[in-house]
Amino acid sequence: MDSKTGTISSLLAMREQGNDTFVSIVEEPEIHIWTQALPIRDDQLQTATAMDSSALTLEEHERMVRISTTSRLKAHCWMISRVFMRRVLARYMQVQEQDILFQYGTSGKPYLVGGPQFSLSHTNGLCVLAVTCTNNELGVDVEWVRPLLQEQAIIQRFLTEEERDYVLEAVCSGEDSSSLLWKVLTGKEAWIKASGQSLCGQWRNLNTVQAIRNYEYLLEWDGQNYMLNSLDMGKGYAASLCVTGTERSLIRWMNVTDHIQS
């Protein structure tokens, strides 16, 4: 982790005051990590409802309504994550939030024509957005660390032999199996996202062990190089960032919000 800067509002204030900091940050070949707290209980929805959803499209509103039929909490978390993503990306493109027009690849991955590369992930209590103004594709994944029902079945089904040995070795040394397993799984998911989802179905073939042991490691798949990084999102979370290319990426932490505690 390299540095922490202010929130979106402070960056905008710099730009409005003629400060070149925002412009230089955007133009640097680095990856920006933005975070947003999410409600984790129904009694927190009153605060969540106050977030302006006017930037959402009709299709996004309809999706929120569909999600709310099964979970009002999940619907609000989805809405907050979506508005948050629009607000951040609008600052890079210097347009209004509602003017952000997402396009979708063949695998459903969203992208912006003429805009920065980005990847969004959210879990219980936290949303993470990775953004870069380079041409490198990227993927981010964050998960709330909790015990998994059928943990052994997941290990056997989704992990490579080397990953299974790594988890078993660490557990024998007294480490928590759930934390290790989530670290492996987020690494795989971030890798899949960075590939444009083309690696879906390749869980048993994506080996993340070297990246996990070394915190950052060059990976290769079908002629494409990837750099995989572990991200520290605080206690209770596992997160990974994957970027195409062979160069080490400078990671800049743009804001780190307080997690809503249970």
Side-chain angles (χ1 to χ4, degrees), residues 31 109-111 117-118 132 134-139 193-196 224 226 242-245:
I31 296 169
K109 182 179 180 180
Y111 66 93
Q117 301 286 347
F118 66 93
T132 181
T134 69
N135 292 323
N136 299 87
E137 296 280 352
L138 75 170
K193 286 184 176 182
S195 75
Q224 175 65 61
Y226 301 86
C242 189
V243 187
T244 59

Side-chain angles (χ1 to χ4, degrees), residues 58-76:
L58 176 60
E59 182 181 357
E60 289 170 330
H61 277 288
E62 291 175 345
R63 181 172 178 181
M64 181 181 170
V65 171
R66 288 196 300 271
I67 297 173
S68 67
T69 60
T70 56
S71 172
R72 186 163 168 256
L73 177 60
K74 288 183 179 179
H76 275 80

Side-chain angles (χ1 to χ4, degrees), residues 32-181:
H32 301 169
I33 303 295
W34 297 87
T35 63
Q36 170 68 51
L38 298 175
I40 59 175
R41 302 189 307 268
D42 286 341
D43 61 7
Q44 296 172 328
L45 292 185
Q46 183 174 358
T47 301
T49 304
M51 190 171 202
D52 184 13
S53 62
S54 63
L56 299 181
T57 64
L58 176 60
E59 182 181 357
E60 289 170 330
H61 277 288
E62 291 175 345
R63 181 172 178 181
M64 181 181 170
V65 171
R66 288 196 300 271
I67 297 173
S68 67
T69 60
T70 56
S71 172
R72 186 163 168 256
L73 177 60
K74 288 183 179 179
H76 275 80
C77 287
W78 184 87
M79 181 270 290
I80 292 171
S81 299
R82 196 75 176 188
V83 173
F84 164 67
M85 179 170 65
R86 281 184 169 275
R87 286 181 176 175
V88 173
L89 294 176
R91 305 315 183 229
Y92 288 92
M93 298 187 73
Q94 299 187 42
V95 299
Q96 296 298 311
E97 301 157 16
Q98 59 268 27
D99 293 332
I100 292 290
L101 180 61
F102 294 110
Q103 302 290 331
Y104 296 88
T106 54
S107 59
K109 182 179 180 180
Y111 66 93
L112 293 170
V113 176
Q117 301 286 347
F118 66 93
S119 181
L120 178 77
S121 181
H122 56 86
T123 187
N124 186 55
L126 183 64
C127 174
V128 178
L129 176 66
V131 184
T132 181
C133 291
T134 69
N135 292 323
N136 299 87
E137 296 280 352
L138 75 170
V140 69
D141 188 57
V142 61
E143 296 290 346
W144 172 49
V145 175
R146 72 274 190 191
L148 287 165
L149 298 175
Q150 303 184 329
E151 181 176 290
Q152 289 303 315
I154 291 173
I155 290 174
Q156 292 299 319
R157 181 177 179 182
F158 295 109
L159 272 58
T160 65
E161 182 177 353
E162 191 174 356
E163 287 170 335
R164 293 197 296 269
D165 290 344
Y166 168 74
V167 172
L168 179 61
E169 173 188 318
V171 170
C172 290
S173 300
E175 295 189 49
D176 177 43
S177 60
S178 293
S179 296
L180 292 169
L181 183 53

